[in-house]
Amino acid sequence: MVRPKIATNRLRAILMHIPYYCTAPKALLALDTGISQNAVSRIVRGRLKPSRITAELICRAISRRGPRKLPLLEVFSVDGSYPTASACGLMGCKGCLPPEAWDEHRGQLRPEWQYQKPGEWSRREADPTSPGQII
């Protein structure tokens, strides 16, 4: 039996919702899983597609630190879709914005984020580099 390959993940958005991982998400996830920090970084950025065993290790690690057990299909996807539409909803967050939405020098939201609804940024969209569509 051939298993489908993992195409995308929303690890970054999920890790942002777990206080333990907020300070150094990739380094701490590497420690929790035994996977190299370089490999974790590449997986989080979508540059490396993990094996099913590696994906399961990651899910188990973040499930231990997070508010709930996360099924593999809520973290990794073969077609870009997830059972729960947004990572905020998945993690029980009422809606937030990612750190890059805030301009620290001006003390305000960046213009491209002003009309973004909290929580909507963590939905999987076609272009993950544009504001409101970061995974």
Side-chain angles (χ1 to χ4, degrees), residues 12-111:
R12 180 178 177 271
I14 290 170
L15 292 173
M16 288 174 55
H17 285 90
I18 301 173
Y20 173 79
Y21 291 116
C22 284
T23 56
K26 296 169 192 166
L28 292 171
L29 185 58
L31 284 173
D32 284 352
T33 59
I35 301 167
S36 76
Q37 187 172 341
N38 183 39
V40 167
S41 180
R42 291 173 54 213
I43 291 168
V44 169
R45 289 182 289 132
R47 304 268 193 266
L48 176 65
K49 307 303 179 204
S51 68
R52 183 172 181 93
I53 292 170
T54 300
E56 288 172 354
L57 276 173
I58 290 170
C59 286
R60 279 197 297 266
I62 59 179
S63 291
R64 283 192 305 268
R65 301 287 185 178
R68 63 181 285 231
K69 184 178 186 310
L70 296 176
L72 188 69
L73 293 177
E74 288 285 14
V75 181
F76 297 94
S77 173
V78 296
D79 64 1
S81 66
Y82 300 94
T84 306
S86 79
C88 287
L90 175 66
M91 300 305 288
C93 172
K94 293 184 191 260
C96 64
L97 292 172
E100 60 270 13
W102 188 254
D103 184 340
E104 289 186 32
H105 299 294
R106 294 184 180 178
Q108 63 187 25
L109 282 177
R110 295 182 190 280

